[in-house]
């Protein structure tokens, strides 16, 4: 079948081989496509609609479909209109998804490349991904990674939240990003903007990039003394170590002097190992550890710390 297919306003359940254009009505449609299509358009209109694509590889512009799934082929899917609450699962193959202009809220699986438009998009990955490239374009955009180990490169994405696994998140471009690693031993790298980077739980490897960056900690568990984080490019002249809700009394940076029982938060830096130890409660024992690669003690003082 080819040409134009128009469905009625009732709930339609139909299997099609191929077409150039498919238009739905007001009902809840479920359309299965078995033939490969390149350059086709689908608009299933009102209702809660489903589109199930086969394994041939598809190039389609799709609107008005709340659930899209595909098989093993390499698919190129473009959303013709912004949508909220949709689920897109593109299966195996090297697949790409382009969002419509406007605010999109989607759960996406199986897309190796996601491109946003001009709106404020929120993308949640429904399954862990490796090697994905995501550019969410203009607007204030959010990306939430799936449970498991993810590897993504993100551009023009203002907030990126990792899952429970060991995630690798690389930000490119000049847009400032808030990067939250979550659980697991994460590798997080900022771009050229002023990024806020939080590794969360686990022994994390953090890189700020070219901008003026903040490395943020909200719990002692974010950089335990037994494991700790590593920051590869901390610049004491411009970057900040930010600690929220953990200060006891007044903070003192001791330099290389040993910790004592002070009753207040204190930190010391070992210039030979580049290890920063932080005693939150002032009992003379380290609670947190952060390795500041390449930093010299002479350049580090209390101005590099912000306590909130």
């Amino acid at each position: 079948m080819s040409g134009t297919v128009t469905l009625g306003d009732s709930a339609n359940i139909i299997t099609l081989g191929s077409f150039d254009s498919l238009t739905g009505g007001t009902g809840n449609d479920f359309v299965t496509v078995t033939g490969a299509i390149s350059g086709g358009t689908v608009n299933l209109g009102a209702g809660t609609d489903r589109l199930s694509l086969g394994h041939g590889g598809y190039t389609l512009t799709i609107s008005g479909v709340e659930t899209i799934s595909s098989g093993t082929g390499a698919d190129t899917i473009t959303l013709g209109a912004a949508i909220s609450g949709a689920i897109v699962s593109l299966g195996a193959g090297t697949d790409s998804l382009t969002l419509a202009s406007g605010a999109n809220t989607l759960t996406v699986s199986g897309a190796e490349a996601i491109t946003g438009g001009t709106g404020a998009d929120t993308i949640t990955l429904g399954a862990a991904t490796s090697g994905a490239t995501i550019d969410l374009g203009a607007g204030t955009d959010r990306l939430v990674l799936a449970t498991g180990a993810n590897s993504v490169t993100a551009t023009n994405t203002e907030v990126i939240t990792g899952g429970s696994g060991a995630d690798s998140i690389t930000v490119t471009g000049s847009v400032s990003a808030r990067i939250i690693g979550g659980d697991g031993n994460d590798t997080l790298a900022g771009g050229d903007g002023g990024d806020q980077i939080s590794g969360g739980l686990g022994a994390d490897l953090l890189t700020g990039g070219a901008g003026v960056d903040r490395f943020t900690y909200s719990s002692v568990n974010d950089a335990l003394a037994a494991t700790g984080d590593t920051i590869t490019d901390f610049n004491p002249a411009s970057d900040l170590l930010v600690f929220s809700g953990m200060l006891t009394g007044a903070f003192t940076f001791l330099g290389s002097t040993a910790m004592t029982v002070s009753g207040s938060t204190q930190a010391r830096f070992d210039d030979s190992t580049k290890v920063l130890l932080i005693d939150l409660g002032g009992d003379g024992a380290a609670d947190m550890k952060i390795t500041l690669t390449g930093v010299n003690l002479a350049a580090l003082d209390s101005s590099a710390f912000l306590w909130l």
Side-chain angles (χ1 to χ4, degrees):
M1 181 183 293
S2 61
T4 299
V5 179
T6 302
L7 306 180
D9 287 333
S10 59
N12 298 279
I13 301 176
I14 187 171
T15 298
L16 301 173
S18 62
F19 52 81
D20 299 315
S21 175
L22 171 62
T23 303
T26 59
N28 300 329
D29 301 315
F30 183 9
V31 178
T32 300
V33 181
T34 59
I37 299 173
S38 179
T41 61
V42 176
N43 187 346
L44 293 186
T48 302
D49 305 302
R50 297 174 60 189
L51 179 66
S52 176
L53 305 176
H55 300 294
Y58 295 83
T59 302
L60 292 172
T61 298
I62 300 173
S63 306
V65 181
E66 285 67 32
T67 302
I68 303 169
S69 62
S70 70
T72 58
D75 303 309
T76 301
I77 303 299
T78 300
L79 299 185
I83 193 166
S84 178
I87 298 172
V88 179
S89 179
L90 297 184
T94 303
D95 306 302
S96 67
L97 174 67
T98 300
L99 310 183
S101 294
N104 298 273
T105 302
L106 301 172
T107 298
V108 180
S109 304
E112 283 69 34
I114 302 174
T115 302
T118 58
D121 301 312
T122 298
I123 302 299
T124 299
L125 299 186
T129 187
S130 178
T133 59
I134 299 170
D135 183 346
L136 294 185
T140 302
D141 306 301
R142 301 178 66 91
L143 173 65
V144 180
L145 305 188
T147 298
N150 299 270
S151 173
V152 300
T153 299
T155 306
N156 295 317
T157 305
E158 283 72 16
V159 181
I160 306 165
T161 303
S164 60
D167 298 314
S168 175
I169 302 171
T170 301
V171 171
T172 62
S174 60
V175 170
S176 298
R178 176 81 171 98
I179 312 169
I180 306 162
D183 299 347
N185 299 330
D186 304 307
T187 300
L188 312 179
D192 294 336
D195 302 309
Q196 296 185 50
I197 302 176
S198 173
L201 302 181
D204 305 305
L205 182 65
L206 312 177
T207 302
V212 177
D213 304 305
R214 293 189 174 197
F215 299 89
T216 64
Y217 295 87
S218 59
S219 168
V220 63
N221 296 320
D222 289 348
L224 287 170
T227 52
D229 285 353
T230 298
I231 301 175
T232 68
D233 64 344
F234 186 77
N235 183 350
S238 57
D239 297 334
L240 280 175
L241 297 168
V242 182
F243 301 87
S244 299
M246 292 184 282
L247 180 64
T248 302
F251 171 68
T252 301
F253 178 64
L254 301 170
S256 60
T257 303
M259 294 175 179
T260 61
V261 178
S262 66
S264 297
T265 300
Q266 56 189 328
R268 71 178 303 272
F269 185 72
D270 187 321
D271 208 19
S272 61
T273 63
K274 308 303 180 184
V275 170
L276 175 71
L277 296 176
I278 303 164
D279 169 18
L280 295 172
D283 61 359
D287 302 297
M288 302 179 72
K289 180 177 76 173
I290 304 170
T291 300
L292 303 176
T293 304
V295 171
N296 295 317
L297 176 59
L300 190 64
D301 59 31
S302 60
S303 66
F305 301 78
L306 178 62
W307 296 89
L308 302 174

